[in-house]
Every structure is written in C-alpha cells, then in structure tokens.
Amino acid sequence: MALRNLLHPSQLLILLFQLLGVRGEMTRVIQLPVTLLVSAGEEFTLNCTVRETGQQLEDHPVRFIKNVQLSKQRTGLVPKFHADFSITISTAGLGETYDCMKYEKGGRKDMQEATDVRGQTQEIIQVPETLSVSTGGELTLHCILMGSGSPGGVRWYKGPDRTQPAIYTQKDASPRVTRLVPESPTDFSITISNVRPEDAGTYYCVKYKKTSGTEVEETAGKGTMVSVIVPPNVRVETYPPPPVHLNGMVTLICNVEHFYPNVINVAWFMNNKSKMGTDEPMIKNSVGLFSLKNSLVVRATEEKNMSIFTCQVRHNFQPPINQTATLIIRPYTKEDCLLYSYPTGLWVGLFLSKILTGFFLLCLFLRKEHSKTTPGCRPGSARESGASKPSA
C-alpha cells in the first residue's frame, strides 16, 4: 500500500447502532453493541438478533440499511426460522451508520413506519448468552433497558442470589468494574478488567424500582454465562537429563499444567517431523484446573545428536504454545569402556567382599568393647582374687 493511501490513526470509523423494531408486541430487533469503533479499511461484523413469537420469520425479511438508505450490496435476507441476522463487511468506510430493519410485507413502505422498540413495560436485554475471555483480559457484559418503567437503579450480580453483594451498582462498584457508557439512561453495560479464573460464572443485570422508600426488583436479564480461559503452563524435561549416553533410551516429558477448559491437544515434533507421544490420564485439582503429561521415548542414536524436540500444545482453539528440548548425546569415554568391560560376576564378588570385610571389623570392635566391660574376663583377675583370701 502506498504511503499516500495510509490513514492517520485519528481517522477512525464510528458506527452507531440503533435498537429498532416494528409495531406490536411480537417483534424485537436487537443490535449490540450500540457503538462500534474500527479502523478504516478493516473488516467488522454487525450483530442483529430478531425475536419473533407470533409470525414466521421467512415471511418478513430483515435488511441492513446503510446511512438510512437501502444498501443493495450489503443486504441480508432472512434464512428460514433463524433469529441471528448478523453480517460481516470486509472493508469499512468512513462515517457509516447501519440499521438492522425488520420488514412487514410490502417492503420499504412499511420500513418507513417502523418505530422504536420502547413499549409500555420495561425489558432488559442481555446478549450474547455466553462469553469466553482469557485470564488477564477484559470482559464486557451488555445490559440494555428497553421500554418505559419506573425510575430506579440497576445492579449487576454474579449468580442468581440477590442477597449477595452486587459487583456493580450506580452508587458503588468493584475496583475492577467500570461502566461502559456512564451517562446513558438505557445502556448499563459494564467492563471487568484483569479477568481472573474465579470470575467465571453467570452474570445478571437487574432493574429495581422504588416503592415506599425501598427498592424492589422490577425486571432482570436472562443472564450471560462467562467462561474464563486459563492457558496452560508448558514445560519439557528429559530423563535422564542431558548429556545422555549413545544408544541409551531417553524419555521426554511434556508437562501441561493448570489450564481450563479441558479442550487440549498435545503433539511432538523432532526437527519439525511429527512424533507420536503417550498421554497420561488428565487430572483436576481442587480449584477446577486441569493438568496432564505426555511422554515421548526415543533411542539416543548418533544421528539424533543435537536434535530439537518440540512439544506443541493447542488449548481451546487458541494459538499454539511451543516448548523445546535439545537431545545432547555424550559418546563413551575410555573410563566408561573400562567400567562396563568387567564381567557382572566380578562386580558382585567385589561387592560381597566389601560386605564381609565390614562385618569382620564390626565383630572385632564388639568383642573388644565386651572385654572392657566384663571383669571376669580381664587378665589376672583370678590371681588377685586368691591373694586377698585370709589364711587359716
């Protein structure tokens, strides 16, 4: 790309999404997030979900409208019985706005009569229903208030228990929790920073109303289930440790520790050539994290000297993690040859002779100590006893 075609970083694309629907209580068109920020020229995805309870979706098309004008090149028609009408646009333009519109029969005429989703009752929209995030990253939970309702606060809870402390209220929040759009009266989405394994769970956005000076629950979202991806710690060890003797057997062990979920694949490569290892049973610790070992046994032949063995771990469709070990082979020395040239029987004989010599020396020591402590055994003891006997 020529330099003249490069955009300044400040030339970013802001796409504004609106929550739009049709007349009646049977249809809901949901676009989240409300605001999307991408660089010009990048690919981006427009999310659109339709809730329809009284009609078949195939009879009423859904189209994306660009800048309030129908975009023929970027039109998505409804698949049968499908509620997700998200589309992907490969090249972002500058300053574009897209609306996901639900049509009645008759097409564009009815599109112009589409009204806001706001009805007489209040509803909380939480999408998507499931999310995955890696440890250390950021987690965004969406909560949109739709319709009209009584004034009151919104709280976020982890789990269905409303008696536990909320992780966010409009007056108080955890230090890691921030409001995504602080001034919005309808968007109460939050971001949790520095995600930890214990952040996994289902989160609920709950709307309260004031009654007689107290707050009671008015409505709640259906919840967003969050899975926290904990990448594994990977290390490779060899037994025996290098350098190893020529033609000896070597076991390479790949330790894959403390990961979640347990969707994992372990592969071995020797100088980029695939090798088959053996998995040991996976174990789970007290906090729900998994570990396993995979072993590869090789013979340390001369051609394998200085070969690089790589343990490649793929966890939960994330980029692979690679750890390596180098096989260093030590040839036999003259001392090694002398050591291993003696017959086995000779080594056994030498070992037994050492044991017998030690046993003999121990007996001599014990006999000497015994003679010191037994008076009747001392030389001259009988003579001394007779001399002290009185004469008749």
Side-chain angles (χ1 to χ4, degrees), residues 24 324 386 390:
T324 62

Side-chain angles (χ1 to χ4, degrees), residues 1 5 37 43 48 67 95 97 141 156 158 183 196 201 224 249 260 284 290 311 318 330 367 372 375:
M1 182 182 292
N5 293 330
L37 184 67
E43 180 178 282
C48 177
N67 298 335
T97 301
L141 300 169
W156 276 96
K158 180 186 173 186
E183 303 302 325
R196 305 165 183 169
T224 300
M249 300 305 295
Y260 184 89
K284 184 178 181 181
F290 296 90
C311 175
Q318 300 297 307
R330 178 172 69 90
R367 183 177 180 182
K372 289 180 180 181

Side-chain angles (χ1 to χ4, degrees), residues 186-207:
T186 57
D187 188 345
F188 291 91
S189 306
I190 60 173
T191 296
I192 302 176
S193 61
N194 191 24
V195 173
R196 305 165 183 169
E198 56 267 27
D199 290 330
T202 303
Y203 291 80
Y204 296 90
C205 181
V206 183
K207 172 68 168 61

Side-chain angles (χ1 to χ4, degrees), residues 232-291:
N233 297 318
V234 181
R235 57 185 179 89
V236 175
E237 57 183 350
T238 61
Y239 182 82
V244 299
H245 286 299
L246 182 65
N247 293 322
M249 300 305 295
V250 181
T251 302
L252 296 102
I253 304 172
C254 186
N255 298 278
V256 188
E257 301 169 323
H258 307 139
F259 57 89
Y260 184 89
N262 60 344
V263 180
I264 202 159
N265 177 264
V266 181
W268 282 100
F269 297 90
M270 185 189 78
N271 298 331
N272 297 323
K273 293 182 179 179
S274 178
K275 295 290 181 179
M276 181 66 69
T278 303
D279 274 332
E280 295 184 14
M282 189 178 299
I283 60 174
K284 184 178 181 181
N285 65 13
S286 59
V287 296
L289 300 181
F290 296 90
S291 297

Side-chain angles (χ1 to χ4, degrees), residues 42-61:
E42 287 186 347
E43 180 178 282
F44 61 96
T45 298
L46 303 174
N47 296 307
C48 177
T49 302
V50 176
R51 291 185 178 182
E52 186 98 44
T53 57
Q55 307 174 68
Q56 290 185 356
L57 293 176
E58 59 182 346
D59 295 332
H60 308 284

Side-chain angles (χ1 to χ4, degrees), residues 210-215:
K210 293 182 179 179
T211 303
S212 302
T214 62
E215 287 190 332

Side-chain angles (χ1 to χ4, degrees), residues 17-307:
F17 293 86
Q18 300 178 1
L19 300 170
L20 296 174
V22 299
R23 295 169 297 177
E25 297 297 322
M26 308 304 292
T27 303
R28 293 289 185 272
V29 179
I30 303 165
Q31 281 186 259
L32 288 176
V34 176
T35 303
L36 183 65
L37 184 67
V38 297
S39 298
E42 287 186 347
E43 180 178 282
F44 61 96
T45 298
L46 303 174
N47 296 307
C48 177
T49 302
V50 176
R51 291 185 178 182
E52 186 98 44
T53 57
Q55 307 174 68
Q56 290 185 356
L57 293 176
E58 59 182 346
D59 295 332
H60 308 284
V62 169
R63 293 186 175 92
F64 273 89
I65 310 302
K66 174 184 174 184
N67 298 335
V68 199
Q69 297 294 324
L70 183 63
S71 174
K72 295 182 180 180
Q73 295 179 350
R74 298 172 182 177
T75 298
L77 294 180
V78 181
K80 288 186 178 182
F81 306 107
H82 202 296
D84 186 355
F85 305 103
S86 304
I87 64 172
T88 297
I89 297 177
S90 59
T91 304
L94 198 61
E96 296 177 342
T97 301
Y98 292 86
D99 295 325
C100 180
M101 303 296 295
K102 174 75 167 59
Y103 280 62
E104 296 289 350
K105 285 186 176 179
R108 188 168 180 175
K109 178 179 179 181
D110 290 326
M111 180 273 295
Q112 294 173 343
E113 298 175 1
T115 59
D116 201 338
V117 180
R118 303 174 190 274
Q120 297 302 315
T121 60
Q122 201 158 53
E123 180 183 5
I124 286 182
I125 302 299
Q126 278 187 253
V127 289
E129 296 180 357
T130 60
L131 279 175
S132 294
V133 62
S134 298
T135 54
E138 284 192 347
L139 167 64
T140 298
L141 300 169
H142 293 286
C143 173
I144 304 296
L145 267 64
M146 303 172 65
S148 59
S150 59
V154 171
R155 299 174 188 171
W156 276 96
Y157 291 94
K158 180 186 173 186
D161 185 6
R162 306 290 196 261
T163 62
Q164 66 175 333
I167 65 168
Y168 171 85
T169 69
Q170 290 170 265
K171 296 181 180 179
D172 188 25
S174 168
R176 295 188 296 127
V177 178
T178 55
R179 180 93 175 268
L180 197 63
V181 188
E183 303 302 325
S184 174
T186 57
D187 188 345
F188 291 91
S189 306
I190 60 173
T191 296
I192 302 176
S193 61
N194 191 24
V195 173
R196 305 165 183 169
E198 56 267 27
D199 290 330
T202 303
Y203 291 80
Y204 296 90
C205 181
V206 183
K207 172 68 168 61
Y208 285 82
K209 63 180 179 180
K210 293 182 179 179
T211 303
S212 302
T214 62
E215 287 190 332
V216 296
E217 182 176 328
E218 180 178 10
T219 185
K222 294 184 178 180
T224 300
M225 186 174 68
V226 176
S227 298
V228 177
I229 301 172
V230 183
N233 297 318
V234 181
R235 57 185 179 89
V236 175
E237 57 183 350
T238 61
Y239 182 82
V244 299
H245 286 299
L246 182 65
N247 293 322
M249 300 305 295
V250 181
T251 302
L252 296 102
I253 304 172
C254 186
N255 298 278
V256 188
E257 301 169 323
H258 307 139
F259 57 89
Y260 184 89
N262 60 344
V263 180
I264 202 159
N265 177 264
V266 181
W268 282 100
F269 297 90
M270 185 189 78
N271 298 331
N272 297 323
K273 293 182 179 179
S274 178
K275 295 290 181 179
M276 181 66 69
T278 303
D279 274 332
E280 295 184 14
M282 189 178 299
I283 60 174
K284 184 178 181 181
N285 65 13
S286 59
V287 296
L289 300 181
F290 296 90
S291 297
L292 66 81
K293 292 184 178 182
N294 187 288
S295 301
L296 178 66
V297 180
V298 297
R299 184 177 293 277
T301 55
E302 187 174 353
E303 62 270 16
K304 290 189 178 75
N305 189 28
M306 302 306 295
S307 292

